Amino acid sequence: MSNQSAHTPVSITTLAKRKEKGQKFACLTAYDALFAELISSSGIEVLLVGDSLGMVLQGHDSTLPVTIEEMVYHMQCVRRGNRGSLIMADLPFMSYASANQSLESAAALMRAGAHIVKLEGGAWLAESTRLLAERGIPVCTHMGLTPQSINRLGGFRVQGRNPDQASTMLEEAQLLEDSGASLLLLECVPVALAKAITEKLEIPVIGIGAGPDTDGQIMVLHDMLGITPSTIRTPKFVKNFLPDSNDGIRGAFIAYAAAVRSGAFPSAEHSFS
Ligand code: KIV
């Protein structure tokens, strides 16, 4: 691909500075070199090699079948296409069941080119988070709706709606920051709770279905291009940015980044009250 420029490399420090200055940032999933190049050269700050690839690429009905070997393969592809974005990679289901296993799995993804790894869970991740961070591996903790626990949660639904759940989530988010997490991702939580967590934590908070007040926003690539596979129910927080584009797919990425930075996305229709 020609005339696609790299941007100044984004690091976790870049994101922390954006939070300090009140500047929002945009993140998207990417699974291959072509889209990694298109997305990162459109100025999106973070590429997530998400285990959502199990659903949008492989056709599974959950993320559970995805293996660490598959994640490493997609990570290597994304690394080749990246033009300066921060690359975050998911540790897949059961690849971090113990702290030692999390070290091995995270090391495989870091060797493949990840800049930060993402783990789903709450307080129980404190030990792994500390271990990884102390050994130089930045961690993003994914809380709220955690798709790897879908069988325990009983479905894809909003988390933290009752006051007890909400205060536990707030406490656990603080514990994970104190344990060394560099980023937090909140999926499908009410606007007020996401706002409270974002204000309480010093680290940047990324939201998906978590309202407009988080420091960054993320979406699954296929959702924001309006090509969610028919086997997946399109969630309320999804917006197709292709109609907002005046330059095809690349224009959709630019429109998404602009809407996140201006605070225009997500609006109330894409959030849970
Ligand atoms: O795997 C993924 O794509 C994710 C996003 C939904 C945040 O974790």
Side-chain angles (χ1 to χ4, degrees):
M1 284 188 297
S2 56
N3 72 24
Q4 310 218 333
S5 55
H7 51 84
T8 313
V10 176
S11 66
I12 52 172
T13 314
T14 318
L15 301 182
K17 284 197 182 132
R18 287 190 79 93
K19 174 165 185 146
E20 262 171 44
K21 293 185 192 157
Q23 297 170 338
K24 297 196 181 283
F25 56 88
C27 322
L28 271 180
T29 64
Y31 315 102
D32 63 27
L34 172 71
F35 275 101
E37 177 164 355
L38 274 172
I39 297 168
S40 69
S41 62
S42 303
I44 305 278
E45 281 87 353
V46 180
L47 302 178
L48 169 66
V49 184
D51 61 356
S52 51
L53 67 87
M55 298 176 78
V56 293
L57 300 189
Q58 298 175 333
H60 295 297
D61 61 3
S62 79
T63 58
L64 272 62
V66 178
T67 64
I68 187 74
E69 289 77 18
E70 289 165 347
M71 290 304 299
V72 166
Y73 168 78
H74 287 281
M75 182 55 243
Q76 289 166 336
C77 297
V78 167
R79 170 199 212 159
R80 287 183 211 116
N82 183 34
R83 297 291 177 268
S85 300
L86 181 86
I87 310 180
M88 176 149 75
D90 268 338
L91 288 189
F93 179 64
M94 281 302 144
S95 70
Y96 53 104
S98 68
N100 279 339
Q101 193 195 11
S102 74
L103 266 186
E104 258 181 52
S105 305
L109 289 170
M110 298 299 282
R111 285 193 193 104
H115 301 122
I116 178 166
V117 294
K118 177 161 80 60
L119 288 71
E120 296 182 8
W124 71 273
L125 288 176
E127 188 191 352
S128 304
T129 302
R130 191 172 298 283
L131 202 62
L132 292 170
E134 280 171 351
R135 282 152 185 79
I137 302 180
V139 171
C140 173
T141 315
H142 181 153
M143 297 181 76
L145 171 54
T146 46
Q148 291 172 16
S149 304
I150 200 64
N151 294 299
R152 183 128 194 271
L153 298 176
F156 291 91
R157 43 175 88 100
V158 183
Q159 302 296 308
R161 273 214 155 120
N162 80 51
D164 285 349
Q165 268 188 348
S167 67
T168 303
M169 211 186 287
L170 195 62
E171 274 166 30
E172 295 194 359
Q174 184 65 65
L175 171 71
L176 290 160
E177 172 173 280
D178 296 343
S179 304
S182 298
L183 294 175
L184 181 80
L185 188 146
L186 292 176
E187 177 165 354
C188 280
V189 302
V191 173
L193 176 58
K195 183 171 194 285
I197 294 176
T198 305
E199 285 171 358
K200 186 159 190 238
L201 296 197
E202 280 176 22
I203 57 173
V205 177
I206 300 168
I208 175 164
D213 301 304
T214 55
D215 305 301
Q217 295 291 333
I218 188 159
M219 256 212 284
V220 170
L221 168 65
H222 296 64
D223 289 342
M224 66 84 66
L225 293 177
I227 51 168
T228 310
S230 61
T231 46
I232 303 173
R233 190 178 54 86
T234 306
K236 170 186 162 83
F237 53 77
V238 162
K239 174 169 154 61
N240 174 3
F241 278 88
L242 211 46
D244 294 3
S245 164
N246 49 24
D247 184 20
I249 287 176
R250 164 181 278 282
F253 298 146
I254 293 169
Y256 164 65
V260 168
R261 289 188 194 125
S262 71
F265 178 80
S267 62
E269 90 183 90
H270 301 112
S271 309
F272 302 100
S273 55

